Amino acid sequence: MDRVTNKSWPDERGRFGEYGGRFVAETLMPPILSLEAAYEEAKVDPAFIAELDDFLTHYVGRPSPLYFAERLTEHAAKENGSAAKIYFKRDELNHTGAHKINNCIGQLLLAKRMGKKRIIAETGAGQHGVATATVAARLGMECIVYMGAVDIVRQKPNVFRMRLLGAEVRAVHSGTATLKDAMNEALRDWVTNVDDTFYCIGTVAGPHPYPAMVRDFQAVIGHEAKAQILDREGRLPDAVVACIGGGSNAMGLFHAFVPDTSVRLIGVEAAGRGVKSGLHAASLTGGKPGILHGNRTYLLQDENGQIADAHSISAGLDYPGIGPEHAWLHDTGRAEYVSATDDEALEHFQLCAKLEGILPALEPSHAIPRTLDLAKDLGSDAIIIMNMCGRGDKDVFTIADALGENIAAGTDG
Amino acid sequence: MSTRIQTVFAKGRPAFVAYIMGGDPDALTSQRIMNALPGAGVDIIELGFPFTDPMADGPVIEEAGIRSRKAGTTLASILDMARTFRRDDDTTPIIVMGYANPVYQMGYAAFSERAAEAGIDGAIIVDLPPEEDGPLRAEMDARGLSLIRLATPTTDAERLPKVVSGSSGFVYYVSMTGVTGAALAQGGSVAEQVTRVRDAAHLPVVVGFGVKTTERASQIAKEADGVVVGTAIVKALHEDGEEAALDLVRALADATHTAR
């Protein structure tokens, strides 16, 4: 089954060109090697694939729709005279409200197969934490989620959801108290409890095999989108667009289209308050190659190799690195990487809500302005697919705050 | 291998290895502590260099790294510390210890060149396992520096030969799974593990992680070629000051040297 197998990359050392690899402490090398062996076995086992597919269909609700965003398309055309047709891949309609669960089902079924009963995860926006807690509950596993103390404040609804699902949320106060520190803490947990613990990483980063494995589990997004657009329009799109933090929803959408060189692959990084301000999370646009969290990739860092703080209104994009496969697609020129600021994301969150009746998460809200730019550029004969990778319910407090409104329960504003 | 490291293990008594975080709490204090370590009985100095994301360290070392970075420490200033130390001491081996990214940004060749020139004997880079340390090892080997590998309780019989085959100087046995300074899961003997690693490596084996007391140091020194203490010293320096830290070092060194 080609959906979860790809023999061409990475290589056997987990490299995408010079990126990727396994930069971890020796304690973690044996578990990483055994994870790799277990995954290689599982991904070609018809029983594993059948169970995964059954969960994706009946529990997650796949396939997710491919939706023609007619009024956004009209909006772009009105400003420009003509515009490309904009389609949304509706992964925000998945159970738990984001693309994250595609990967969690895959990894936790693998954990079950490996006999691991204790699941740990890191989370930024809380979407991966919620998805992990959800699947852990469903499979009867213990679940501990590490989350930066700063993110716990800005993503309160998701913290509560995780607790309702039976997970223990552990606040991380070290460093910048955001996603990267949650990942450090999860790695510390793993190094300590290596025998019984499975680390469910939420993005296409970390030591090999995670970047390849998470991509494979997310690749269902692009495979569905490709079949759906061929069915609907009779041809491939001209471009596919997705927001990027670590890059899992983007890799999931891109993967099926990488061999189709007529399809432009466009990733949108979080520019925070502007790339020139230094307060951003755009690792490819504003970083350089280095080593962190088990892989070599582009990182925000100073000239001495210390990791710099990332800044984004979106907790899910607030990470100073990016998956190694994106670094490679960037250097080879196969994919293009642009960025959008906090303000642009906020503005287009509201535009999408009013024109399409969809509250996008703050993460895909970053992809909307660049999708509109591209739609104007390409004109009316073109087709664009944007990954609507998460819904915005979790972000309403952050957005109210940014708009200067008080919606906290028990107050009159 | 550096002759300074060989000389230490040729003495035939267990070596006491002390870790300090370079630049904690500031460059001057840290230099003074480092210079005083040999007089307090330290046979090998592990000089930590700070990193923003120390994934294998517990809170004590992480916070020391934060203090050190606030004081302006960089990998280059750590090499300067070693150079200053060497003005008065040409026998105590210095091993720098930390994470890969600062070294990668300096450049593996430039780092090796500058480390050799500063009088450093070797390095331990926590997140460069055997699968990834080839390029740095080649540069260090070319300049007579040791890249010391870690063996851990998860390093099984099948993997051990691969891990130790590339080590030089000695092998650092991490006596437990966990971060630096964590509570020791089990006391007991490390004899079996040390023997297992030494037989595979044909190199001296030093044991660290979770060693905090003179009793434990003495117990480990009965079996191992050396004992490493880091967190307890860093903690004493931060909480009780320089004299207290050096008193602890003296007690640990003495317990190690007289164990057999």
Side-chain angles (χ1 to χ4, degrees), chain A residues 11-24:
Chain A
D11 67 16
E12 72 283 355
R13 299 171 64 214
R15 300 297 178 103
F16 301 89
E18 63 177 298
Y19 302 107
R22 290 178 284 223
F23 294 86
V24 295

Side-chain angles (χ1 to χ4, degrees), chain A residues 395-407:
Chain A
D395 293 315
V396 294
F397 291 100
T398 305
I399 287 160
D401 202 38
L403 299 178
E405 293 185 30
N406 186 353
I407 58 166

Side-chain angles (χ1 to χ4, degrees), chain A residues 15 21-27 29-30 33 174 180 184 188 191-192 194 289-291 296 301 304-307, chain B residues 50-55 57 62 69 74 101 104-105 126-129 131-132 150 152 154-155 159 163 177-178:
Chain A
R15 300 297 178 103
R22 290 178 284 223
F23 294 86
V24 295
E26 170 62 21
T27 309
M29 274 309 301
L33 293 172
S174 61
K180 84 173 170 72
N184 291 338
R188 289 177 180 135
V191 105
T192 307
V194 64
I291 297 164
R296 176 157 47 216
Q301 56 184 316
N304 296 309
Q306 302 295 340
I307 304 305
Chain B
F51 183 50
T52 36
D53 295 81
M55 283 106 57
D57 285 304
E62 176 169 35
R69 282 190 295 113
T74 61
N101 200 47
Y104 183 71
Q105 293 311 319
V126 178
D127 51 349
L128 284 185
E131 282 78 357
E132 302 289 355
L150 304 168
T152 74
T154 63
T155 312
R159 183 170 168 80
V163 170
T177 59

Side-chain angles (χ1 to χ4, degrees), chain B residues 87-108:
Chain B
R87 283 192 213 136
D88 301 317
D89 184 322
D90 198 36
T91 56
T92 309
I94 304 170
I95 312 291
V96 291
M97 181 168 182
Y99 294 82
N101 200 47
V103 179
Y104 183 71
Q105 293 311 319
M106 183 176 279
Y108 291 161

Side-chain angles (χ1 to χ4, degrees), chain B residues 61-256:
Chain B
I61 305 278
E62 176 169 35
E63 281 157 26
I66 292 170
R67 291 192 295 271
S68 170
R69 282 190 295 113
K70 273 195 185 142
T73 309
T74 61
L75 180 53
S77 70
I78 293 290
L79 301 183
D80 288 340
M81 272 184 80
R83 189 178 297 109
T84 304
F85 176 88
R86 276 279 170 260
R87 283 192 213 136
D88 301 317
D89 184 322
D90 198 36
T91 56
T92 309
I94 304 170
I95 312 291
V96 291
M97 181 168 182
Y99 294 82
N101 200 47
V103 179
Y104 183 71
Q105 293 311 319
M106 183 176 279
Y108 291 161
F111 165 75
S112 304
E113 188 72 48
R114 292 168 70 172
E117 182 266 325
I120 282 164
D121 299 277
I124 300 172
I125 308 297
V126 178
D127 51 349
L128 284 185
E131 282 78 357
E132 302 289 355
D133 73 5
L136 176 59
R137 170 174 309 285
E139 298 292 347
M140 290 182 66
D141 279 352
R143 292 163 182 87
L145 301 176
S146 298
L147 184 57
I148 290 145
R149 279 188 177 160
L150 304 168
T152 74
T154 63
T155 312
D156 58 25
E158 195 188 332
R159 183 170 168 80
L160 187 60
K162 175 179 182 161
V163 170
V164 297
S165 68
S167 195
S168 100
F170 56 90
V171 176
Y172 187 137
Y173 182 69
V174 175
S175 62
M176 55 183 221
T177 59
V179 295
T180 52
L184 201 63
Q186 71 275 7
S189 167
V190 293
E192 202 178 310
Q193 298 300 330
V194 168
T195 305
R196 176 175 86 102
V197 177
R198 198 190 281 129
D199 286 352
H202 306 293
L203 281 172
V205 178
V206 308
V207 175
F209 277 47
V211 186
K212 291 184 177 125
T213 61
T214 51
E215 291 73 27
R216 185 65 183 154
S218 169
Q219 209 176 18
I220 287 174
K222 287 193 195 337
E223 324 288 349
D225 302 296
V227 178
V228 191
V229 179
T231 298
I233 297 169
V234 170
K235 191 167 181 235
L237 173 62
H238 178 57
E239 291 178 359
D240 307 315
E242 287 176 58
E243 278 317 306
L246 289 171
D247 285 346
L248 175 65
V249 168
R250 266 186 286 270
L252 289 163
D254 190 48
T256 303

Side-chain angles (χ1 to χ4, degrees), chain A residues 3 6 9-10 16 99 202-205 210-223 240-259 265-268 284 322-330 334-335 337 387 389:
Chain A
R3 201 188 68 221
N6 191 310
W9 66 89
F16 301 89
H99 68 291
T203 192
V204 286
Y210 285 100
M213 178 171 71
V214 176
R215 173 203 66 197
D216 291 347
F217 288 136
Q218 291 293 1
V220 65
I221 300 171
H223 285 286
V240 297
V241 185
C243 65
I244 299 202
S248 72
N249 94 81
M251 251 353 284
L253 178 62
F254 290 179
H255 189 58
F257 293 104
V258 170
L265 313 175
I266 299 173
V268 185
L284 286 174
I322 185 165
E325 191 166 3
H326 285 296
W328 183 60
L329 291 172
H330 170 267
R334 177 63 191 95
Y337 295 87
N387 200 9
C389 61

